[in-house]
Amino acid sequence: MTQDTAHASLTGGNLPLEPNGFVGREADVEELTDLLGVARVVTLCGAGGIGKSRLAVRVASQVAGEFPGGVWLVELADAVRGDQIEPRVAAVLGVKAEPSRALADTLIDALGDRRLLLVMDNCESLIEESARFCRAVLTVCPDVRVLTTSREPLRVAGETVWRVPPLTLPRSDGHDLGTSEGVRLFLGTSEAVRLFADRATAASRAFSVTEQNAADIAGLCEALDGMPLAIELAAALCRVLTVEQINARIRDRFRLLSAGDRTAPARQQTLRATVDWSYQQLNEPERILLRRLAVFTGGWTLDMAEQVCAGNALWAEDVLGVLCDLVDKSLVLADAEVAGETRYRMLETIREYATEQLDASGEEPEFRRLHRDHMIEVAARIHQTIVRRPRPAWTEICPMLVMLDELQANVWAAVRWSVESAGDPESALRLLILLRWPIIAGGRFTPADKWLDRLLDAGPGELTPCVRGDALALRGQVAFGQGDPDTAQIACAAAVDPCREAGLYGPLSGSLAILAWVAIYQRRPERARSLLDDALEAVRTVDDPWHETVIRSMEGTFALSEGRAKESQRSFEAALAIAHELDNHWAAPVALIGLAQVAWLRGDLAEARAHYERALDMLQDITAHWQAITCLSGLGRIALAQGDLATARGRLIESLRLCIGTGQRLGVARRIETLAQLALAEEDDRRAVRLAGASAAIRSAMGGAVLPPPGFGARMEELLQPARMRLGDALVAQLWAHGQEMSQEQAVRYALQFDEPYETPALLGKHPVVAPMTTLTCREWEIAELIARGMSNKAIADELVISPATAARHVANILAKLGFSSRTQVATWVIEQNRS
């Protein structure tokens, strides 16, 4: 800030005029104005570039009317150590020094009982002097208030420290940026975006936030941590670059953001200068710890900092004190409490700078290795707790899993360094293998799948057979969780022999169970049964109840797929009993979901709902997205079946929103299909057919990666047949084609909106309109009716005067289209259709 634009007539002091519009922070300004009414000294703390000075001037201007003695800004930005603060304050207030008397005494007398506000900006330059001056003022001058800005607290009695947060970013759930209304909401709910838009418009009259650049603006503001200085520097580049170009270059932010306001202090003209200045103010232990902390990605705990960053001129017992100093200087944020421990982090701009310093110090390889090894230790501790005997209570496991969620970025950073810098794929695989249960049960499939594929490509000499076999089993388990039978079959088949030879019977049983699941999908029940028997034998060899719950649940799924409800229920109940014995809140919901599906098959919707609700309740405190998605979807289908359409909509929308975040196309397709059924129940036939077509298109885009589930075609037929009766075949075919043309993003957006944004596709004309492939022809419907009457292929041929071969071909087509494996299933379905 400069004081050459003072406007005493407006404030009774010397506050500068604001050079441009003040954007955002409305709640912050309101809170601080209230705080100044009760606190004698308020210090705005934060990193360089976070907007402390601008916020202080804004707040001071808002409260100016409450201080008849005026609001006075004392600028300390150009001060250096050894300067005195009193001459600066005296110069601002117009106080003259007296002969033979200390200026401090004269100044205190001049302040006396005046009611005024002193705004002391950038106190970190003279932090001790500022503290002594404020202490003296507070002691003698009862009506003086002090608002300071500093990168660290003054630490005087009566001081209230207020940490200045970054500007708010676009919400993680996002807005629909494909519409003008979505863009409007996007602008209104993010302070960072509003600031960027304001400054970019000032830099270039041609600039505006559009549907095309909104996502890039969001990414840019997030990459810059909502830091006002960085955002303003980036926005200024809009005079010569597009937002997309700026965003693409933001990785080299210090070079990119290197041309700021020429009238600003030198240390505020570029992003690097701002951070450089903060770093130069640190003592040597603080510099050492700051640069070593750069090995952490996302966040860390005190224990992690002590384990990883100590050594070579920094003792472990000193880490806490130095870390506290870095928090005080606003270079490290004490972000939140997680599982009973404080989580620390750096703004990404600070971390990038610290990474440069770590590299320049020559210490980076050593501390990256220490970080990787510590993550392996953390993973081993979690694994040993989960599988140890006597079994731990879930209350012991759960905090570790919550902490693991916070450390995910560190896990992947350790994996990446092991592969790309250390050339050590085996250590990376050991880390992932130790996290087997959190990855599988927690649904953390991405990016585990990509890393496992990359690591398993290592040459024979780089991986021991034991680690390769275990990793192959894990890859198959991840593919199973993703609904990818092809990858699961390849990985698990390759895992069987090395796991058996190494005596890894747990992973062996898991691989065999997944191969059984693949056989179920391939409609090979005898092979599935044989593989499940082998899996059960393997798991009993080492008494591994964790894997046994998986196998028992797989048995239940197998029996359920063949309509054997009683056998399925027994298997799921056995799995649930083991899960309860283990106090395992991952496995128990899987078994409860299975029991809910059995109850659904029996038509007992009340029992099904109770099982789903019980499972969902167990999932409240842990990450297990797929289980939660299944529960929400199941509860939505039950509400739909009971005619409670409002509840059905709420549950299904919640399920789809959660599913989108997993990146799994199959899950999205399934949720959209159920929403199509809801639209049909709401008598919105057009919407139902479009959504059905979009769901089928998403499945089709997956190619051979996944087979349609049993009865998929029958469900499509149940949905389309009523629509054909009301709308006619031609319009249904057009609506279906329209749904098929939607991208997945468009389909999701359409599914989440309950208006009608698309015109009736009377003039599509782009491609030939083709009826849905699940549609039964009139002849096939006729033959399906005869199957329901119990007639054989020969009897059907005689009845319709066609050859037995033709009758057999029609029956095969019906089974394929409806997704059934037996004539009995066709007969049951036809009877239910006729009844409805």
Side-chain angles (χ1 to χ4, degrees), residues 78-90:
D78 59 347
V80 295
R81 290 181 182 178
D83 284 359
Q84 297 295 309
I85 197 169
E86 286 82 0
R88 291 174 177 271
V89 178

Side-chain angles (χ1 to χ4, degrees), residues 314-332:
L314 183 65
W315 297 101
E317 54 266 33
D318 295 330
V319 168
L320 173 58
V322 179
L323 181 61
C324 288
D325 290 340
L326 291 175
V327 171
D328 283 345
K329 291 177 170 59
S330 304
L331 292 171
V332 168

Side-chain angles (χ1 to χ4, degrees), residues 102-423:
L103 179 59
D105 294 337
T106 302
L107 187 57
I108 292 296
D109 282 350
L111 288 171
D113 58 359
R114 291 171 65 186
R115 181 168 176 77
L116 59 79
L117 174 66
L118 280 178
V119 182
M120 297 171 55
D121 194 26
N122 297 296
C123 289
E124 65 272 7
S125 303
L126 298 172
I127 192 69
E128 294 180 2
E129 293 81 357
S130 297
R132 283 197 297 270
F133 176 76
C134 286
R135 186 181 302 114
V137 170
L138 292 177
T139 302
V140 180
C141 308
D143 290 326
V144 174
R145 294 283 190 272
V146 183
L147 175 63
T148 73
T149 75
S150 176
R151 302 192 188 192
E152 59 182 305
L154 302 184
R155 297 180 184 167
V156 297
E159 177 189 29
T160 298
V161 177
W162 199 89
R163 298 281 177 184
V164 179
L167 298 176
T168 59
L169 297 170
R171 289 197 301 268
S172 58
D173 57 352
H175 298 289
D176 177 10
L177 300 181
T179 65
S180 56
E181 176 64 14
V183 170
R184 187 186 67 78
L185 292 172
F186 170 70
L187 278 170
T189 56
S190 168
E191 293 171 341
V193 169
R194 287 164 55 196
L195 178 64
F196 183 90
D198 182 88
R199 301 304 191 251
T201 302
S204 170
R205 291 184 181 181
F207 174 85
S208 65
V209 180
T210 66
E211 299 168 16
Q212 287 71 41
N213 66 16
D216 279 314
I217 293 173
L220 184 61
C221 291
E222 185 173 354
L224 296 174
D225 302 304
M227 183 184 287
L229 173 62
I231 290 171
E232 294 202 19
L233 291 171
L237 292 173
C238 286
R239 68 186 186 279
V240 291
L241 297 174
T242 66
V243 178
E244 184 179 9
Q245 288 176 306
I246 299 170
N247 200 21
R249 290 165 170 76
I250 202 60
R251 288 181 181 274
D252 192 7
R253 66 188 68 197
F254 293 117
R255 179 179 297 176
L256 181 67
L257 308 180
S258 59
D261 182 357
R262 290 191 182 92
T263 65
R267 63 186 175 81
Q268 292 182 351
Q269 290 184 15
T270 71
L271 189 60
R272 177 175 292 282
T274 297
V275 185
D276 257 334
W277 191 88
S278 295
Y279 188 71
Q280 295 306 318
Q281 305 306 304
L282 302 180
N283 60 38
E284 190 59 22
E286 291 168 344
R287 293 183 187 182
I288 290 172
L289 182 58
L290 182 71
R291 68 179 181 243
R292 291 178 184 175
L293 289 170
V295 300
F296 295 109
T297 302
W300 67 88
T301 65
L302 173 61
D303 177 69
M304 293 173 67
E306 290 173 334
Q307 294 293 320
V308 174
C309 298
N312 298 344
L314 183 65
W315 297 101
E317 54 266 33
D318 295 330
V319 168
L320 173 58
V322 179
L323 181 61
C324 288
D325 290 340
L326 291 175
V327 171
D328 283 345
K329 291 177 170 59
S330 304
L331 292 171
V332 168
L333 306 178
D335 201 33
E337 181 181 309
V338 180
E341 295 187 60
T342 299
R343 174 183 178 272
Y344 302 91
R345 70 180 178 92
M346 285 188 275
L347 295 178
E348 190 59 28
T349 297
I350 304 298
R351 195 181 80 85
E352 187 173 314
Y353 181 87
T355 300
E356 291 182 3
Q357 302 306 310
L358 182 64
D359 178 57
S361 73
E363 293 184 326
E364 183 169 20
E366 176 185 357
F367 286 92
R368 293 285 181 192
R369 178 185 56 78
L370 287 169
H371 173 261
R372 189 276 312 281
D373 291 348
H374 183 69
M375 294 313 302
I376 292 176
E377 290 176 17
V378 170
R381 193 157 58 241
I382 293 172
H383 177 76
Q384 289 161 7
T385 302
I386 289 173
V387 302
R388 78 162 188 246
R389 295 174 183 272
R391 299 300 180 190
W394 188 257
T395 51
E396 184 179 351
I397 296 175
C398 191
M400 302 180 79
L401 300 177
V402 172
M403 181 60 74
L404 178 62
D405 276 340
E406 294 296 318
L407 301 180
Q408 285 292 295
N410 281 292
V411 169
W412 304 120
V415 170
R416 180 182 296 279
W417 181 81
S418 289
V419 177
E420 297 181 351
S421 299

Side-chain angles (χ1 to χ4, degrees), residues 535-577:
L536 197 55
E537 180 182 351
V539 79
R540 284 174 174 168
T541 302
V542 288
D543 185 23
D544 184 344
W546 276 79
H547 272 103
E548 188 175 353
T549 61
V550 173
I551 296 163
R552 291 298 186 188
S553 293
M554 199 74 75
E555 285 182 328
T557 300
F558 175 43
L560 189 64
S561 71
E562 294 195 320
R564 293 180 277 114
K566 289 184 179 179
E567 184 179 337
S568 177
Q569 181 159 346
R570 284 195 297 269
S571 294
F572 284 124
E573 286 174 346
L576 185 61

Side-chain angles (χ1 to χ4, degrees), residues 33 71 78 86 229 268 297 320-321 402-403 497 501 508 528 534 555 557 606 623 635 643 679 733 738 743 821 824:
T33 55
V71 177
D78 59 347
E86 286 82 0
L229 173 62
Q268 292 182 351
T297 302
L320 173 58
V402 172
M403 181 60 74
D497 287 342
E501 291 168 6
L508 172 62
D534 290 346
E555 285 182 328
T557 300
T623 297
L635 290 168
H738 194 209
S743 66
S821 58
T824 302

Side-chain angles (χ1 to χ4, degrees), residues 462-478:
E462 297 181 86
L463 301 176
T464 61
C466 178
V467 168
R468 186 181 291 277
D470 211 350
L472 283 166
L474 175 58
R475 181 63 186 98
Q477 290 166 321
V478 168

Side-chain angles (χ1 to χ4, degrees), residues 394 576 580 583-586 588-589 592 613-622:
W394 188 257
L576 185 61
H580 282 326
D583 194 19
N584 183 340
H585 287 213
W586 279 325
L592 287 167
E613 289 175 344
R614 186 179 169 197
L616 199 57
D617 186 60
M618 297 183 76
L619 298 170
Q620 294 303 311
D621 299 324
I622 59 174

